[in-house]
Amino acid sequence: MEVRQARADDHEDVVAFTSDTWGDRFDRGDYIPEVFPEWVESDGPDQRTVVAEEAGRAVGVCQVVALSDHEAWAQGMRVADDARAKGVAEAMNDACFDWARDRGATVCRNMVFSWNAAGLGAARGVGYDPATEFRWAHPDPDVDARADANGASGLAATGDPDAAWSYWQRSDAARELAGLTLDPEESWALSEATRERFRAAADEQQVFAVQGPDGTRGAALRTREYERDTEAGGSERWVEYGVGAWDDVPAAQTLFAAIARDAADLDADRTRVLIPETPRHVSDAAYAGIAVSENPDFVMAADLTGRR
């Protein structure tokens, strides 16, 4: 078995062993066959896609991306059924860790669905430890959305990035999420939030700071907009928010109402907001009338500082 950089002509093999990754769990199926050609084409100094080759065919795939000068993100780890228990995942993972460490990364993270016990076990087996967990909140786009909880009348969502950053730093959401929010460049990846990220979001996307007479009580930032195909053959416009944090239900209602109006202004069909997976945050969102995803997602992290 050889681990090497992926090539365009590996696509057929990769499609073959990723066509039924999730069985009947997802109607959309695995995303790897669709994105693999783009991954190969866009590989460069900050990204590397690898495959494991055995007997002339690709039997595994994984990608690693440099998110900052010290953070890497691994994704898309897949191994063919007939190549499992042969050290394929370990070999690809080691190649990704070495690549990241050579570029100065001290940590590599990945995301595993909480229901994917096999994936969680594999992640632990190749060097990842639990880091944090999150869930998606899905406020409906609504140009007329207003907060109506008792106590929310004195609150308003402003676009002050420094107030939002100051709140985020001291929030229990930042503590629960280990300081991570959705990365602005790499979809699905989480990386460490910075003041510059909040200021850039204010300039390029949108930032929300829930403020009242007693100071700032919530924060969020918009991360990206994109189109997603539907089962019926059409498309939906999604707007994604990198994190949502708040003190209490009135602040949550004010924040989600501002997000709903913002999404409506962008003609969004759907939204998702990353929130901490805690009883308070999930139940606050539900109490505020916001739909939340059925299961959380787990973020795992590997310490690379011991690698040479």
Side-chain angles (χ1 to χ4, degrees), residues 8-296:
D9 59 8
D10 294 317
H11 189 214
E12 184 176 344
D13 289 341
V14 170
V15 169
F17 67 77
T18 59
S19 60
D20 193 34
T21 303
W22 308 122
D24 296 331
R25 183 174 284 271
F26 294 131
D27 293 331
R28 290 174 53 86
D30 199 340
Y31 72 99
I32 300 296
E34 180 180 347
V35 302
F36 181 80
E38 179 184 340
W39 279 5
V40 172
E41 183 177 355
S42 58
D43 271 353
D46 295 327
Q47 173 187 295
R48 187 174 182 86
T49 307
V50 301
V51 297
E53 181 182 307
E54 183 182 54
R57 72 181 181 104
V59 296
V61 63
C62 187
Q63 186 185 78
V64 59
V65 181
L67 301 181
S68 72
D69 59 358
H70 67 281
E71 298 170 277
W73 183 264
Q75 56 194 1
M77 174 74 78
R78 305 286 190 271
V79 177
D81 288 343
D82 60 357
R84 293 183 178 177
K86 294 183 179 180
V88 174
E90 291 87 345
M92 291 193 299
N93 196 74
D94 282 345
C96 289
F97 281 178
D98 289 344
W99 179 93
R101 187 67 182 122
D102 287 346
R103 280 147 186 80
T106 57
V107 62
C108 184
R109 303 185 186 92
N110 72 356
M111 191 277 289
V112 184
F113 295 124
S114 59
W115 48 261
N116 186 1
L120 290 166
R124 295 300 300 273
V126 298
Y128 288 94
D129 292 315
T132 188
E133 55 186 323
F134 67 91
R135 197 178 293 230
W136 298 110
H138 299 283
D140 291 329
D142 182 357
V143 70
D144 296 318
R146 295 290 183 273
D148 57 8
N150 291 333
S153 59
L155 300 175
T158 74
D160 184 340
D162 291 326
W165 166 248
S166 178
Y167 175 81
W168 164 253
Q169 282 190 297
R170 66 177 185 271
S171 69
D172 59 349
R175 182 176 64 253
E176 295 291 344
L177 290 169
L180 304 177
T181 68
L182 284 177
D183 188 80
E185 302 298 331
E186 186 67 31
S187 61
W188 281 99
L190 276 69
S191 56
E192 295 168 16
T194 62
R195 181 188 294 273
E196 289 70 27
R197 177 170 300 179
F198 276 73
R199 288 178 172 175
D203 292 337
E204 301 166 11
Q205 295 285 343
Q206 184 63 276
V207 165
F208 308 88
V210 176
Q211 298 183 288
D214 56 349
T216 306
R217 291 169 52 185
L221 70 165
R222 190 205 306 150
T223 302
R224 62 178 58 87
E225 310 155 43
Y226 55 92
E227 299 288 331
R228 176 180 289 184
D229 294 338
T230 65
E231 296 176 44
S235 65
E236 290 180 327
R237 182 170 180 78
W238 284 67
V239 179
E240 195 169 74
Y241 298 83
V243 75
W246 59 86
D247 277 355
D248 49 29
V249 171
Q253 286 196 311
T254 303
L255 186 66
F256 283 120
I259 289 172
R261 295 192 299 271
D262 179 68
D265 288 342
L266 296 171
D267 295 323
D269 299 300
R270 302 282 301 277
T271 72
R272 63 180 188 180
V273 185
L274 188 148
I275 66 172
E277 172 63 8
T278 72
R280 183 181 79 77
H281 289 92
V282 175
S283 63
D284 277 0
Y287 185 32
I290 306 301
V292 295
S293 57
E294 185 175 348
N295 297 299

Side-chain angles (χ1 to χ4, degrees), residues 98 101 105-107 302-308:
D98 289 344
R101 187 67 182 122
T106 57
V107 62
D303 181 356
L304 303 184
T305 58
R307 299 186 74 87
R308 295 293 183 267

